[in-house]
Amino acid sequence: GMSAMDVIVASTRNSTRAMGLGESVGIIAPGRSADLIVVGADPTRDVANLRRLRWVVRDGVVRPASEFRARH
């Protein structure tokens, strides 16, 4: 049992460190490029809330999650 926050940290910060990218990605700060997701509920309460994807911000462009859903 990991907490929801531990899962988020392990899958973001720790994975970028493992790839040697810890200092170049994963930082939200003025002047930095940021790719973000916006979800419909608090993922620190329940990591399954990450599945409630609403928006994706990539290279400063905001797109609805529907653009990223699998098409059959």
Side-chain angles (χ1 to χ4, degrees):
M2 295 172 69
S3 72
M5 191 62 186
D6 289 340
V7 170
I8 294 167
V9 170
S11 63
T12 56
R13 184 182 66 193
N14 293 352
S15 63
T16 60
R17 286 181 178 169
M19 291 184 288
L21 302 172
E23 297 303 316
S24 61
V25 299
I27 299 168
I28 301 172
R32 301 289 302 254
S33 176
D35 296 335
L36 307 167
I37 61 169
V38 178
V39 295
D42 185 356
T44 64
R45 290 187 165 264
D46 182 351
V47 74
N49 287 332
L50 288 171
R51 293 186 180 134
R52 298 179 65 183
L53 185 63
R54 299 294 183 255
W55 300 94
V56 175
V57 181
R58 172 109 178 147
D59 293 326
V61 178
V62 180
R63 295 190 170 127
S66 60
E67 288 186 20
F68 300 91
R69 292 209 179 13
R71 293 183 175 97
H72 299 278

